[in-house]
Amino acid sequence: MNLEQIKQSAFKEIEESRDLKSLEGLRIKYLGRKSQLVEILHSLKDVPLNQRQKIGPVANVLKKELDELIKNRKAELREDEGSKKIDLSRPAQKISRGHFHPLTIAEEKICRIFLTMNFSVVEGPEIENEFYNFDALNIPPNHPARDLWNTLWLKTRTDADKTQIDADKTRTKADSVRENLGRNQRQSALLLRTHTSPMQIRYMETHQPPFQIIVPGRVFRYEATDASHEINFYQVEGLMVGSRVSLANFKFIIETFLKKFFGPNIKFRFRPSYFPFVEPGLEVDVWFKDKWLEVMGAGMVARKVFDAVRYNPDQVQGFAFGLGLDRLVKIKYNLPDIRLLYSGDLRFIKQF
Ligand code: DAH
């Protein structure tokens, strides 16, 4: 066969090959060590120069063409064989969609319920200062009530400066740092808010009654964890202030809320309690699985708190409450341990 014949038959056979195995046979036949084409290329050294110059380039080009052709055909056949393996009758793999976390679901539900009762939803900072988190809520420094909230204090610039001063022996620089320190220390110390109540103060400072708000948010406590305590958790604060807001209004709002959240048959009770920022103070329990479970603290806003925001306590009154979101979720879904909510364990999360 001459080169032209080789080319024609090779092209034809390669195109017509039906599987990878026969294609490999063709590769050996046309490009293998004993193939005619390779033999021709080998024998070139023995042919006269003028012929060599004619045949050589043509043979080389053909070799390249065949290489290319086989490679392409191989890819095609591979694809064919791959698609033959797909069994279209098999059930499709289930696509798992993302969804909201149970705490988020509950928070949204709570917000929706209060929105229907004309409450506004506002949010406050997670990093608070001592004034809003404690003092303005009638919890002065060294007051034993501060022990109710095991606080995570933040290391502020002031602490860092202090270290700097100790290390710094040059008087002039130390003096100037000390001056700045004095200024900073007069500011209230920073902490991670231990409850959402500070937002009561921030809101009242910038708004005039009547109003009703809820404040959902994350809070932090420096505590050992157990089945119902976490180092961070969520609360929803409530505050309603006006000229004639009473505990009866509170009872109606909370009853409406609990029935919408848990269902119309939920049993609940008010129990006297103490919080520095309310007077009288109370706690709300719900009846669940044969026992009373505490779900929120509440009460009528204390006069001292109105003083702190320059409201006239003789002209306004209001109620406040702080409900534990994790507690509500624990009850609603009957969870054994609230720490599951923060575990990131998909076997748990996927059940909602
Ligand atoms: N802030 C309280 C806590 O974290 C809960 C609370 C109690 C909030 C009474 C209130 C309230 O608004 O009136 O334990």
Side-chain angles (χ1 to χ4, degrees):
M1 276 203 276
N2 63 28
L3 288 173
E4 189 51 35
Q5 286 168 330
I6 293 175
K7 179 173 176 170
Q8 292 207 349
S9 80
F11 271 46
K12 186 166 181 289
E13 284 194 75
I14 291 168
E15 283 303 328
E16 286 173 358
S17 65
R18 282 286 152 262
D19 56 63
L20 289 167
K21 213 169 144 199
S22 57
L23 183 64
E24 176 60 12
L26 291 174
R27 190 190 66 77
I28 291 166
K29 177 172 171 189
Y30 287 106
L31 292 172
R33 248 182 307 134
K34 290 187 182 135
S35 65
Q36 271 185 323
L37 181 58
V38 169
E39 264 169 23
I40 290 172
L41 283 165
H42 271 304
S43 62
L44 276 177
K45 59 182 189 304
D46 304 322
V47 302
L49 184 66
N50 63 343
Q51 270 197 42
R52 198 190 306 167
Q53 281 171 338
K54 247 168 64 194
I55 302 171
V58 179
N60 270 318
V61 166
L62 178 58
K63 185 167 181 282
K64 275 209 187 94
E65 282 179 337
L66 292 182
D67 261 337
E68 191 74 1
L69 199 64
I70 289 172
K71 208 173 91 200
N72 292 342
R73 185 65 191 146
K74 202 168 179 173
E76 279 174 16
L77 289 175
R78 274 225 179 99
E79 217 166 84
D80 285 358
E81 296 201 351
S83 65
K84 262 185 234 141
K85 285 193 189 118
I86 294 176
D87 177 359
L88 292 173
S89 67
R90 282 180 59 178
Q93 200 177 21
K94 209 174 152 197
I95 297 167
S96 72
R97 298 168 66 209
H99 63 77
F100 287 114
H101 189 278
L103 285 170
T104 311
I105 296 171
E107 183 185 308
E108 279 196 348
K109 185 166 177 172
I110 292 168
C111 289
R112 244 181 291 129
I113 294 170
F114 280 100
L115 283 167
T116 64
M117 296 190 282
N118 248 335
F119 279 68
S120 308
V121 179
V122 298
E123 286 183 301
E126 290 176 359
I127 294 177
E128 259 300 357
N129 64 40
E130 205 176 359
F131 174 76
Y132 289 107
N133 196 82
F134 290 126
D135 303 64
L137 288 164
N138 192 28
I139 319 168
N142 305 321
H143 191 284
R146 282 208 182 185
D147 297 346
L148 294 173
W149 294 275
N150 299 319
T151 308
L152 285 154
W153 297 91
L154 294 185
K155 192 167 178 178
T156 56
R157 169 102 47 61
T158 328
D159 295 328
D161 288 349
K162 227 181 268 165
T163 326
Q164 159 109 31
I165 293 165
D166 293 342
D168 199 338
K169 295 282 179 277
T170 56
R171 269 211 66 75
T172 46
K173 196 175 174 199
D175 283 346
S176 77
V177 176
R178 201 169 283 128
E179 253 174 49
N180 285 331
L181 184 68
R183 255 204 298 284
N184 287 336
Q185 268 177 343
R186 253 174 268 128
Q187 286 174 9
S188 187
L190 293 181
L191 46 81
L192 294 179
R193 67 175 173 195
T194 60
H195 48 182
T196 42
S197 304
M199 199 48 198
Q200 290 185 28
I201 308 295
R202 287 184 179 275
Y203 193 84
M204 287 192 282
E205 273 183 346
T206 50
H207 296 80
Q208 287 301 316
F211 60 78
Q212 52 273 345
I213 56 164
I214 56 165
V215 188
R218 189 185 194 188
V219 302
F220 307 82
R221 303 260 173 102
Y222 183 49
E223 270 173 357
T225 68
D226 64 30
S228 38
H229 292 89
E230 247 298 348
I231 196 153
N232 72 86
F233 52 101
Y234 288 81
Q235 290 186 332
V236 180
E237 193 79 11
L239 179 66
M240 179 168 184
V241 181
S243 53
R244 290 162 58 95
V245 176
S246 72
L247 212 49
N249 298 135
F250 172 70
K251 183 168 182 263
F252 173 79
I253 297 282
I254 289 308
E255 180 166 358
T256 308
F257 163 68
L258 291 174
K259 288 187 169 164
K260 285 195 177 172
F261 189 81
F262 287 113
N265 297 325
I266 189 74
K267 232 168 83 181
F268 67 98
R269 72 174 183 191
F270 290 0
R271 174 167 50 80
S273 184
Y274 170 76
F275 298 95
F277 32 92
V278 281
E279 177 58 41
L282 54 100
E283 271 167 289
V284 180
D285 299 333
V286 301
W287 184 251
F288 181 75
K289 291 212 150 189
D290 303 329
K291 51 178 192 275
W292 289 110
L293 290 173
E294 180 206 322
V295 293
M296 74 178 84
M300 296 303 291
V301 179
R303 292 176 72 93
K304 282 257 178 76
V305 172
F306 285 141
D307 286 341
V309 297
R310 301 186 197 294
Y311 281 6
N312 183 343
D314 292 325
Q315 284 171 6
V316 294
Q317 44 189 11
F319 64 75
F321 61 88
L323 61 84
L325 188 61
D326 308 66
R327 286 279 174 84
L328 292 187
V329 170
K330 186 172 186 256
I331 296 169
K332 191 170 168 74
Y333 296 111
N334 195 10
L335 305 180
D337 193 322
I338 62 163
R339 287 173 293 187
L340 283 167
L341 293 167
Y342 302 92
S343 65
D345 188 335
L346 292 178
R347 291 169 305 174
F348 169 74
I349 298 293
K350 280 186 171 164
Q351 294 177 46
F352 292 88

